[in-house]
């Protein structure tokens, strides 16, 4: 039996058939037919954001914390162009989202009509794929293809641009099972001969290391479980990128911590000194490698990734395996077990002894002294008081983001939402809204800097309207902290436009929105203030006044290899050169 319906109704029906339960959006003239259909049903909840960028970041938070695609609905012209930052962010971090945009009627396209923009042209570089629907009879199939493309292979954002006359016209609806998706079927099974080559390398390696990324999390829960089994069985140390935190538990005995520009000393040194590097779902980005010609020079490098374009793009790989992480790890484990679960345990024991020596440097050491709150201490206490909760953490971008990655522990995947590749200030607050919508009973905290948080502060209206108890934990140093740090260390202490002036009273700002505001400036009051935040059943802005000129260490200086790090002055190292409150090792 054929089902005739308008294009607007097709959109809503397709979302229902794809299992969508929430859409983040902002209405406008070019999408009003779709909004009218949303009004007439109760299966899909619409969340009215205050800015289209906020809608996309909220959908990212929803997607990252659930593993399901997030959905956005915005109007044409400025509605679509406001979504571009979020689309680019999702593309860089491989987050599956579908952005539906309204467009002027087909017969007006190209005439500079009111609120017209070349949305497909503008978003082609920042989407995995996009479509302009010119005929209603193609709309439903394109929508189902969009869901397939955004989730198959390496996840990413897609966009469907829907002219207003296409929304009004009627045609036959195509159900998901009849949509043509065979033209895009990424390879998921790895080459068995290459997998055997990797296992053979694991069996004889003396200083192996697993280097994991967000691809493990994107592959789904099975990938994280298989990774944990492989690590525990083999005894090989493991580190992770910023985006991969939680795939292996932070309390696991083989965990080295995060690596990279602000990664841990022991993780970076192990990467530099290993003889077998097994990259699982990471892309060798510049924040990890440091100077390319000095990156882990003595190691054989394996790379498992579902995206063929990531293989050999940055670093030459000796053992390239294209495939889905879960499928490949399952085969690796099966082959390794069938061959007797062999590793060079005596050599790996010596390797661990070396790693333990690096660990004694205690690169995250700090001293909480005096009446000023150290940002590290604020996050140390936040971790202690919330680690036993059903907790999700989002961040903005900057020093606070790196401190959060260093001092907060993640024992499960999908609990850590941050902007890695694009580094988008303003990401965290709307992302926390998306996470809270997906997990209404969980504790959702956005660790923020005051400068980043102000970029999408308008979303406090969204949080209050939908009674979302998101906690905004702002480390307020009245500075653009990471910019100021680079200016101190690399630009002769010339602080060009890196001090925030005319900041709002965050407590009054919270109250103006109908939320709760908390101010804390004394370390003696910090625990009680955090508990007050946790116990309040509603959105909170927590203004934590921290040391203004604290720097985030460890840090790989610009142009240095990843084994040359600036450490904080409290790190326990003797072979060091003093440098503005830090040591270079």
């Amino acid at each position: 039996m054929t089902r005739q319906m308008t294009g607007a109704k097709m959109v809503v029906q397709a979302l229902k058939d794809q299992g969508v339960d929430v859409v983040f959006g902002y209405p406008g003239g070019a999408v009003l037919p779709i909004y009218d259909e949303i009004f007439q049903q109760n299966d899909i909840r619409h969340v009215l954001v205050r800015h289209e960028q906020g809608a996309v970041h909220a959908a990212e938070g929803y997607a990252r914390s659930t593993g399901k695609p997030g959905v956005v609905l915005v109007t044409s012209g400025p509605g679509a162009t406001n979504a571009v930052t979020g689309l680019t962010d999702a593309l860089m971090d491989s987050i599956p989202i579908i952005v539906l945009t309204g467009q002027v009627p087909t017969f007006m396209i190209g005439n500079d009509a009111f609120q017209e923009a070349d949305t497909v042209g503008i978003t082609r570089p920042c989407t995995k794929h996009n479509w302009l629907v010119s005929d209603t009879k193609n709309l439903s199939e394109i929508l189902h293809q969009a869901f397939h493309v955004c989730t198959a292979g390496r996840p990413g954002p897609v966009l469907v641009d829907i002219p207003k006359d296409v929304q009004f016209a009627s045609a036959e609806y195509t159900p998901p099972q009849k949509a043509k998706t065979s033209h895009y079927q990424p390879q998921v099974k790895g080459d068995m001969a290459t997998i055997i080559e990797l296992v053979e390398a694991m069996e004889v390696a003396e200083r192996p290391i697993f280097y994991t990324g967000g691809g493990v999390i994107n592959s789904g829960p099975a990938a994280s479980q298989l990774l944990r089994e492989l690590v525990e069985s083999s005894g090989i140390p493991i580190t992770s990128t910023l985006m991969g935190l939680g795939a292996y538990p932070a309390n696991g005995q083989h965990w080295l911590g995060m690596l990279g520009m602000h990664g841990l000393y022991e993780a970076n040194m192990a990467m530099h000194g290993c003889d077998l590097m097994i990259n699982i779902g990471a892309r060798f980005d510049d924040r990890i490698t440091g100077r390319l010609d000095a990156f882990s020079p003595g190691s054989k490098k394996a790379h498992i990734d579902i995206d063929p374009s990531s293989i050999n793009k940055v670093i030459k790989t000796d053992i390239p395996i294209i495939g889905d992480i879960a499928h490949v790890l399952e085969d690796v484990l099966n082959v390794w077990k069938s061959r007797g679960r062999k590793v060079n345990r005596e050599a790996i024991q010596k390797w661990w002894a070396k790693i333990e020596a690096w660990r004694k440097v205690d690169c995250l050491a700090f001293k909480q002294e005096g009446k000023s709150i150290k940002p590290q201490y604020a996050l140390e206490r936040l971790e202690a008081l919330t680690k036993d909760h059903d907790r999700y953490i989002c961040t903005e971008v900057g020093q606070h983001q790196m401190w959060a990655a260093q001092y907060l522990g993640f024992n499960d995947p999908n609990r850590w939402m941050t902007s890695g590749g694009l580094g988008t200030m303003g990401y965290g607050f709307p992302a926390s809204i998306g996470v809270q919508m997906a997990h209404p009973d969980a504790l959702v905290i956005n660790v923020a800097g005051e400068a980043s948080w102000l970029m999408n502060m308008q979303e406090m209206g969204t949080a209050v309207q939908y009674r979302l108890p998101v906690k905004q934990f702002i480390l307020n140093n009245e500075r653009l902290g990471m910019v100021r740090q680079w200016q101190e260390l690399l630009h002769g202490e010339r602080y060009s436009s890196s001090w925030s002036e005319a900041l709002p009273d965050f407590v009054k700002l919270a109250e103006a929105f109908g939320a709760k505001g908390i101010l804390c400036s004394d370390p003696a009051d910090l625990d009680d203030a955090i508990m007050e935040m946790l116990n309040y059943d509603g959105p909170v802005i927590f203004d934590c006044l921290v040391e203004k000129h604290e720097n985030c260490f460890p840090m790989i200086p610009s142009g240095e290899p990843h084994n040359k790090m600036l450490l904080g002055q409290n790190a326990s190292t003797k072979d060091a050169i003093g440098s503005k409150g830090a040591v270079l090792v």
Side-chain angles (χ1 to χ4, degrees):
M1 178 179 173
T2 61
R3 300 172 67 189
Q4 289 282 325
M5 59 182 72
T6 65
K9 194 171 186 65
M10 281 184 187
V11 170
V12 175
Q13 187 61 50
L15 297 181
K16 289 180 182 179
D17 288 347
Q18 291 288 345
V20 174
D21 55 5
V22 62
V23 171
F24 303 91
Y26 202 98
V31 283
L32 286 184
I34 299 173
Y35 270 89
D36 191 47
E37 290 295 336
I38 288 175
F39 184 84
Q40 298 180 63
Q41 56 81 53
N42 295 311
D43 296 324
I44 298 171
R45 189 174 187 189
H46 179 272
V47 176
L48 176 65
V49 297
R50 280 17 181 201
H51 191 284
E52 290 88 355
Q53 181 185 350
V56 184
H57 293 326
E60 286 187 275
Y62 177 94
R64 186 72 176 170
S65 66
T66 63
K68 301 191 299 184
V71 179
V72 175
L73 176 61
V74 296
T75 195
S76 63
T81 58
N82 280 346
V84 166
T85 298
L87 285 166
T88 310
D89 189 272
L91 184 70
M92 292 283 280
D93 286 344
S94 305
I95 309 301
I97 60 170
I98 290 118
V99 176
L100 308 176
T101 56
Q103 183 55 275
V104 301
T106 53
F107 56 84
M108 297 177 69
I109 292 175
N111 290 326
D112 295 329
F114 176 66
Q115 291 194 331
E116 180 189 359
D118 179 9
T119 300
V120 166
I122 291 167
T123 61
R124 185 171 288 117
C126 58
T127 54
K128 192 175 175 185
H129 194 64
N130 62 14
W131 295 260
L132 171 62
V133 185
S134 57
D135 193 323
T136 308
K137 69 181 182 183
N138 300 323
L139 175 58
S140 54
E141 181 161 347
I142 286 174
L143 290 167
H144 297 313
Q145 287 178 355
F147 276 87
H148 173 71
V149 170
C150 99
T151 54
R154 179 179 179 175
V158 298
L159 181 141
V160 183
D161 199 29
I162 312 172
K164 195 167 184 179
D165 57 330
V166 170
Q167 298 171 43
F168 277 124
S170 294
E172 182 180 343
Y173 175 76
T174 302
Q177 59 270 25
K178 291 189 178 180
K180 295 172 184 159
T181 57
S182 58
H183 59 291
Y184 181 63
Q185 297 293 337
Q187 177 180 333
V188 295
K189 295 287 285 184
D191 175 69
M192 190 54 70
T194 315
I195 287 172
I196 292 171
E197 185 182 354
L198 170 58
V199 171
E200 289 172 345
M202 286 172 55
E203 290 173 342
V204 298
E206 297 182 354
R207 301 182 309 280
I209 189 169
F210 288 115
Y211 151 40
T212 57
V216 180
I217 294 171
N218 286 339
S219 181
S224 293
Q225 289 301 319
L226 291 163
L227 174 69
R228 293 171 188 219
E229 182 183 350
L230 185 58
V231 172
E232 299 307 324
S233 301
S234 66
I236 294 173
I238 179 171
T239 182
S240 168
T241 67
L242 181 74
M243 299 304 294
L245 296 176
Y248 181 83
N251 60 8
Q253 69 177 109
H254 300 101
W255 177 239
L256 302 186
M258 182 181 74
L259 79 156
M261 177 171 281
H262 292 284
L264 273 60
Y265 180 74
E266 53 265 35
N268 283 337
M269 292 302 291
M271 284 282 282
H272 184 77
C274 70
D275 66 350
L276 175 63
M277 178 190 299
I278 306 170
N279 177 336
I280 307 176
R283 56 187 177 86
F284 288 114
D285 69 280
D286 59 289
R287 295 283 154 145
I288 299 301
T289 61
R291 204 176 74 223
L292 287 177
D293 61 359
F295 176 67
S296 193
S299 67
K300 177 179 281 190
K301 298 173 181 67
H303 189 181
I304 305 170
D305 204 297
I306 199 164
D307 181 6
S309 72
S310 290
I311 305 285
N312 293 326
K313 182 166 71 174
V314 178
I315 295 291
K316 178 71 174 68
T317 303
D318 302 290
I319 308 174
I321 302 174
I322 298 168
D324 175 70
I325 300 300
H327 284 86
V328 173
L329 286 183
E330 183 177 25
D331 286 340
V332 168
L333 265 166
N334 288 338
V335 171
W336 182 67
K337 289 176 182 177
S338 71
R339 291 169 59 96
R341 301 171 180 260
K342 291 180 289 186
V343 291
N344 190 339
R345 297 200 182 274
E346 185 178 348
I348 290 176
Q349 192 173 2
K350 292 178 182 177
W351 177 224
W352 270 110
K354 196 163 194 174
I355 290 170
E356 290 302 326
W358 288 324
R359 236 179 211 157
K360 288 178 182 175
V361 168
D362 197 8
C363 65
L364 297 183
F366 68 93
K367 291 181 181 178
Q368 175 56 58
E369 299 173 320
K371 283 290 188 179
S372 180
I373 299 174
K374 291 272 191 180
Q376 301 96 318
Y377 180 69
L379 288 170
E380 188 178 79
R381 297 313 304 154
L382 184 70
E383 167 71 3
L385 295 170
T386 65
K387 64 181 180 181
D388 294 328
H389 288 68
D390 179 17
R391 184 188 74 179
Y392 294 81
I393 299 290
C394 302
T395 78
E396 302 293 344
V397 169
Q399 286 179 315
H400 61 274
Q401 176 189 29
M402 296 298 107
W403 281 316
Q406 292 170 343
Y407 290 92
L408 302 180
F410 301 96
N411 296 323
D412 296 295
N414 305 104
R415 298 286 177 147
W416 165 249
M417 276 56 63
T418 196
S419 174
L422 194 61
T424 306
M425 294 175 71
Y427 165 90
F429 185 12
S432 71
I433 286 172
V435 175
Q436 193 77 77
M437 283 298 301
H439 308 279
D441 299 323
L443 171 63
V444 181
I445 302 171
N446 177 39
V447 177
E450 80 290 342
S452 266
W453 192 84
L454 287 171
M455 289 215 171
N456 272 316
M457 60 171 277
Q458 75 283 342
E459 298 308 326
M460 184 53 71
T462 307
V464 172
Q465 178 177 342
Y466 294 94
R467 298 178 176 85
L468 301 172
V470 288
K471 315 303 182 188
Q472 306 303 306
F473 192 75
I474 299 175
L475 300 180
N476 186 350
N477 58 11
E478 300 178 0
R479 304 289 187 271
L480 309 183
M482 194 62 86
V483 172
R484 185 213 55 76
Q485 176 170 335
W486 280 57
Q487 288 172 337
E488 176 188 336
L489 299 176
L490 304 173
H491 296 279
E493 299 184 59
R494 293 180 292 277
Y495 300 114
S496 176
S497 300
S498 58
W499 289 20
S500 300
E501 297 184 13
L503 287 170
D505 180 326
F506 284 104
V507 172
K508 289 182 178 177
L509 182 65
E511 292 169 351
F513 275 105
K516 183 175 183 61
I518 299 172
L519 174 67
C520 185
S521 59
D522 190 329
D525 300 330
L526 185 58
D527 278 21
D528 288 343
I530 291 174
M531 290 308 300
E532 182 183 0
M533 175 185 77
L534 299 180
N535 291 331
Y536 182 73
D537 185 21
V540 175
I541 299 177
F542 188 109
D543 186 10
C544 186
L545 300 182
V546 298
E547 172 62 43
K548 291 177 171 52
H549 288 166
E550 190 71 12
N551 285 332
C552 182
F553 296 119
M555 174 184 174
I556 301 174
S558 180
E560 294 288 351
H562 70 292
N563 66 319
K564 293 292 183 183
M565 283 161 278
L566 285 171
L567 301 184
Q569 59 186 349
N570 293 303
S572 303
T573 182
K574 295 176 182 177
D575 55 340
I577 306 167
S579 175
K580 298 185 185 303
V583 292
L584 181 65
V585 295

